[in-house]
Amino acid sequence: MGRVPLTLVTGPANAEKARVVLDAYAAALDREPVLVVPTFPDVDRYRRELAARGVVFGARVERFSGLVREMARRGGVTQRAAGPLARERVAAAAVARAELRELGASAPTPGFVPALLRLWDELGEARIDPARWYAALRAWGREEPRRADYAEDLAALYAGYRRGLERLGLVDAPQRTALALDALRLDPGRWRGAPVLFYGFDDLTRQQLDAVETLAVHVGTDVTVSLPYEAGRAAFAGRDGTYQDLLALADGPPLVLGARSEHYAEGSRPDLHHLERALYEPGGERPELDPAGPILLLRGGGERAELELVAAHVARLLRDGTPAGEIAVVLRRPDAHAALIERVFGAAGIPHALDRHRVLAGHTALGRGVLALLACALLDGTADDLLAWLRTPGLLRVGAKADRLEAEARRKGARTAKEARALWEAREWPLEAIDRLRAAHRAGPAALCARLAAEAQTLFAAPHQGEAPVLTGPDAVDARVAAKLRDALAELAGLAERDAALVPAPAELARVLGALEIPLGGTGAEAGGEVVTVADPLAVRARRVRALFACGLQEGAWPAPARPEPLLGDAERRAINAAAGLRLPLHEDALGAERYLFYAAVSRPTDLLALSWHAADDDGNPAIRSPLVEDVLDLFAPSLREHAEVRALGEAGWADAALAPTGRERERALAAASPTGAEDAIAPLGDPAVLENLRARATWSASALEAWVACPVKWFVERFLRPEPLVPDPEPLVRGELAHKILEEALRALSSDGGGPLRPEQLPAAKQHAYAAIERFAEGSRISPNPERLRAALRRLEADVIRYLEWAAHSGSAYAPVHFEVRFGGGGDGERPAVALADGVGLQGRIDRIDLAPDGDGALIYDYKGATATPQAKWHAEGRLQLALYMLALPELLGVEADGGLYQPLGGDDPRPRGLLREDADPTLISVGKDRVDAEAYDAVLGQARATALAAVEEIRAGRLHARPATCGWRGGGCSYPSICRCA
């Protein structure tokens, strides 16, 4: 065998392997070399590294997938690789067609097809075709007969999947890679001698090793592979297999680089270099560590407290001049903590780029809008779906229109997209996109996919009409979502042209599109070094930073537990390998891989390494510190354990102002340490235009004056600001309004039948009139948008009305109901004018019912209530003005004196009305004796009400806004608007 042009470069962290690889790249520049790195951020980083070395033109940096594309192009491979959706649909079809014996129960579960595809990727990378897989599994089945049916199922599924791809004229990614490699093996000259250099890989997959072998052994081009490895070190134990595979290909010893302490800052060098050299190695020196040294321990009482402590130290580094791009925060799975990280770091004012890896399309604003449109058009869309679509950023120029629709839908009980659409189109424009999507669906799957892709593009472009912006932040994410949706739908449309049956129905299509993973990127390198990197260990393993915070060091999180393979565990893989001579990879050394990731992370900082964990979750459940922390602590003297900084669970603010992350937090910390005063309560109104408007107002409603007396702030919010509600009117209020209508209908009908007070003999007729009114008003009732609650509420209302009619028929009253819903002062058609309470002060209102005395010389005013009624003895104390003011207005309204005013409860245990009665008025009426008073007391109550009302008008006109929390809430329930009132 001739010389194999493979150079293997090994060494621990900080051995300057990158320098060797980049020097080799620059030296081979005239031969068009290709540098292969693991991730997109690495591509950008090493393009900049090469540019800094003067290699600007002709530099080619690719991920492994880019190398494969180049090999396929040069090898003349034309077969098209199926996209992920096409593979999933083909796999699902293979599962549906197969007659499964053992896997039949598992096949319908959501994770079954993805698990199959992961297994088939392994088989493809190992160049195991269906025939070889059949033979291997049947050999396993003969060795273990109890697994024979299981083996047959796995073999049949793989064969069905490959047949499905072949029928469509497609291959999958592992197949296409194998075809590209084989093409170069058959005709090595196609590669044209370009050197290939691999850097930044902690390990190599089966196909990556295959590519190295193809290029170095069969093509004969120069290949350089850098591998983090040091013989005998526990940190690299999981790399032994890859090292031996590469060593077997090389025609000579590897280039072994030694550890270099110069990587570390001078003051931190002894301790951080000791950590890199001694981690996981038993015994050895345990130096004393300065508490102010380069290793910092942080312990939070909860997850949030931990991140707040980390954010405080990051903010202090930034204040002290450390560039944001030289700080990294590393978590094992940053995407699992993304929302909390963004809240905490955002509140601390830390510029950061969170490597969230991926987000589901259905969890983005644009994705939600597209799926909501699909639901409105082709599924059982709800009103919330229609609102979600309308609220897609940029679709509506005036976002408040969607808010108004939501409020109206809630008030009117519109629950479906169809009902909400009708409300929208009654006042706005037609929602034609829904109809377009329905028409496309009728035209077939390909047309539906094309139409939905067009609607997604329209939604994406909506905020940017007439602009050509550079997209950043959420807009850049939306661009990725739009591109992903467009590509997925184009893939499905192409699949529909080959086999329409493979395209999912609308409900499944919504699930598929919502589950699309959108790459977010977001590392500090991508942002040009102007932000703090928040990432996983793999994202920082090939770069240096001044400070690194290794966070979330909890047992069960880092090291992450091994994820068992659902179809073939390591025991089954060993049995298959032994029975059939395969080399299916095992996954048992997960701990070794996790230990290496931790080693790679903690060896990156040059100045400061912080290790953080939390003692409990945010619910207070205990959490255990990771053993990886113990591995670090064991390298130093025991005194290091005593110097962990602690932030308690739920701690607010900062006791140490110097550690507070923002200027505002520092001010709070200083303020907390000094005497504090109460926040100023709401001030009186002072705007001249507002006061002029109030002074010019001549007419006031009794209920508004009552609201002011209860609490001026409550009046200000409910009667002056009048915010539009987003929820339906409260059920008791709507039910009360409906009860008014029903009683008015029933009693008015009796009045037209002959008049007079309600008597027991008239009760059957009164009930019939009430039943008829309930039936007539029930259909349009808005008591509740929930049909079940509506039926229950109507039954309860019917019971209350009938019970009141029965009581009224036996109440003994001689006064007859004559006037109903008497309105005055509001300016409506046919409405009576306002009644003067004093010069320049008019009264408006609505009286529920007025009963006249037999001789017509007196009247009783009734105001319907729910379960309780207020006696006149409490009117002044509770600010009840309405009945008294109506009694004062009655002579001017009807030319008759008021003999009394009564609150009539319709529910509750006691049906007797409560209020104010002249002592000789309607003497046979069943009433409470304390409510009947002599003429002097009667006039005193009304006079006091008039004086209170006029004082309220004077205060309103002067803008004397102030808090009355004791009487603001219902039944004295405290302040109703504390954020506005700010009362003590």
Side-chain angles (χ1 to χ4, degrees), residues 299-302 304-306 308-309 645-649 651-654:
R299 187 187 75 204
R304 186 184 186 103
E306 177 196 346
E308 287 174 339
L309 198 53
E645 290 189 30
V646 179
R647 181 168 174 81
L649 175 65
E651 185 175 347
W654 298 88

Side-chain angles (χ1 to χ4, degrees), residues 10 98 147 277 295 303 367 549 586 623 628 678 844 865 961:
T10 66
R147 307 307 301 271
R277 299 310 302 153
I295 297 179
E303 184 181 0
F549 293 77
L586 305 179
L628 296 173
Q844 69 180 65
K865 292 297 181 184
L961 213 58

Side-chain angles (χ1 to χ4, degrees), residues 776-833:
R776 183 162 58 257
F777 293 127
E779 184 175 349
S781 171
R782 296 181 292 105
I783 294 180
S784 173
N786 185 300
E788 291 75 19
R789 288 186 63 85
L790 175 59
R791 287 193 293 269
L794 288 173
R795 286 195 295 270
R796 180 182 172 189
L797 174 63
E798 178 183 300
D800 287 347
V801 168
I802 297 304
R803 180 172 54 187
Y804 168 67
L805 289 174
E806 289 176 344
W807 182 86
H810 297 87
S811 67
S813 177
Y815 285 49
V818 175
H819 301 284
F820 306 92
E821 300 293 320
V822 178
R823 299 174 184 270
F824 60 98
D829 293 341
E831 194 171 304
R832 293 175 171 85

Side-chain angles (χ1 to χ4, degrees), residues 1-8 31 67 71 181 184-185 188 191 193-198 204 207-225 245-251:
M1 178 177 174
R3 187 187 75 86
V4 176
L6 171 62
T7 301
L8 176 60
R31 299 165 59 196
L67 175 66
M71 289 192 293
L181 295 175
L184 293 179
R185 291 188 181 202
W191 185 249
V196 181
L197 304 94
F198 290 80
L204 296 180
Q207 281 203 317
Q208 288 167 348
L209 284 169
D210 196 351
V212 170
E213 180 180 356
T214 297
L215 292 168
V217 177
H218 299 280
V219 174
T221 194
D222 288 331
V223 178
T224 301
V225 179
D245 288 337
L246 290 169
L247 193 62
L249 294 176
D251 187 23

